[in-house]
Amino acid sequence: MKILFIGDIVGRVGRQAVKHYLPALKKKHKVNLTIANGENAAGGKGITRPIFKELMQVGIDVVTMGNHTWDKREVYQFIDQEDKIIRPANYPNSDQVPGKGITYVQVNDQELAIINLHGRALMGDLEDPFRVGLDLVDQANKRTPHIFVDFHAETTSEKEAMGWFLDGKASALVGTHTHVQTNDNRILPNGTAYVSDVGMTGFADGILGMERQAILNKFLTQLPARIKAPEVGEARLNASLVNIDKFGRAGSIEMIRIDKENPFYI
């Protein structure tokens, strides 16, 4: 199966980029399933029900989340009702937290488990993602060898550690959160596709997809600033394409970057 994973969608610019490019990307690469990180989809922070529905309508099959999961309060009203959105699995007392951290989807005649984890290094006091991740992978392996993990984490060291920890257990582990695409995509020795960060899909001329000036002012003055994603502007789409064989081993991981320096002609 070919899995397309779209990095953190940031605001309207990111959503419009997905709407514009996704159909042609799916056709060109013969994609079987599309996953996207949507924790920044609503103005740069959080997600709403209409935006979740919008992402489904443009061709995304499953949405993963991260540290901004709860930024839009209305997410509490629908995250339990939707099978195609998952939040990080490693919250304390996760069974008491709305939503879920794993979902299963049918891809042709095979099943794919998708898991969402949240890092702890510089990211807050959550449960151990290594222990929770291993428990979920072992649980998923009882149903299917095809397992895809979105690890939403700050540091490359924690992401690399998780990649090696799950090598041979998960089909793919991709990093999200830092919004900058890394150049370390590889197949680990036991068959797990890995990249430290897929990158973001949003405003290309901002800072991590957000408007520049407020962030610059914050760095220059250390005063609080209202940071938001712009409504219009040049877009960048970052994604990874993972090919997984019938045994759940990854055969390839290809990075995709579309922007004004790397055009994609439809």
Side-chain angles (χ1 to χ4, degrees), residues 8-188:
D8 304 45
I9 299 171
V10 182
R12 183 183 298 274
V13 175
R15 302 196 314 269
Q16 289 298 313
V18 172
K19 181 178 180 180
H20 183 69
Y21 290 115
L22 182 55
L25 280 171
K26 291 170 76 170
K27 182 178 180 180
K28 176 181 178 180
H29 296 290
K30 297 180 173 60
V31 171
N32 301 116
L33 188 89
T34 302
I35 308 167
N37 186 286
E39 67 135 19
N40 300 121
K45 290 185 178 181
I47 194 168
T48 63
R49 187 194 291 267
I51 287 175
F52 170 70
K53 294 295 187 183
E54 176 187 334
L55 296 180
M56 295 289 102
Q57 289 167 2
V58 300
I60 291 168
D61 298 295
V62 176
V63 172
T64 58
M65 296 295 284
N67 59 300
H68 290 298
T69 298
W70 315 109
D71 283 13
K72 302 298 183 192
R73 298 288 296 177
E74 68 183 85
V75 73
Y76 289 90
Q77 300 170 15
F78 72 90
I79 197 167
D80 273 327
Q81 302 168 14
E82 301 288 351
D83 291 331
K84 299 301 177 65
I85 182 170
I86 56 175
R87 46 80 175 161
N90 56 311
Y91 282 103
N93 300 307
S94 185
D95 59 339
Q96 300 175 33
V97 176
K100 58 186 178 181
I102 182 171
T103 193
Y104 296 87
V105 293
Q106 202 69 24
V107 184
N108 298 326
D109 60 344
Q110 301 173 97
E111 193 172 43
L112 176 72
I114 304 167
I115 297 169
N116 196 183
L117 296 171
H118 189 300
R120 289 198 296 185
L122 306 178
M123 288 280 284
D125 189 20
L126 273 70
E127 294 293 338
D128 178 8
F130 293 85
R131 179 187 60 79
V132 174
L134 183 60
D135 287 348
L136 286 176
V137 166
D138 286 345
Q139 170 189 316
N141 260 313
K142 296 175 183 177
R143 288 180 56 164
T144 176
H146 305 94
I147 301 169
F148 195 105
V149 181
D150 171 4
F151 188 29
H152 199 77
E154 180 74 28
T155 68
T156 52
S157 58
E158 190 178 21
K159 292 176 184 179
E160 284 193 334
M162 184 68 78
W164 286 107
F165 183 66
L166 293 181
D167 181 28
K169 300 178 178 68
S171 306
L173 185 138
V174 300
T176 56
H177 177 65
T178 66
H179 290 208
V180 177
Q181 188 178 93
T182 55
N183 192 32
D184 59 344
N185 51 297
R186 63 179 296 195
I187 306 298
L188 296 175

Side-chain angles (χ1 to χ4, degrees), residues 1-6 29-35 107 112 146-149 170-175 185-187 191-195 198 239-245 248-256:
M1 63 178 74
K2 284 189 176 180
I3 311 300
L4 181 70
F5 183 94
I6 299 173
H29 296 290
K30 297 180 173 60
V31 171
N32 301 116
L33 188 89
T34 302
I35 308 167
V107 184
L112 176 72
H146 305 94
I147 301 169
F148 195 105
V149 181
S171 306
L173 185 138
V174 300
N185 51 297
R186 63 179 296 195
I187 306 298
T192 296
Y194 173 83
V195 66
V198 178
S240 63
L241 182 69
V242 181
N243 197 357
I244 302 170
D245 69 18
R249 295 188 297 261
S252 63
I253 176 169
E254 174 187 348
M255 304 311 294
I256 296 170

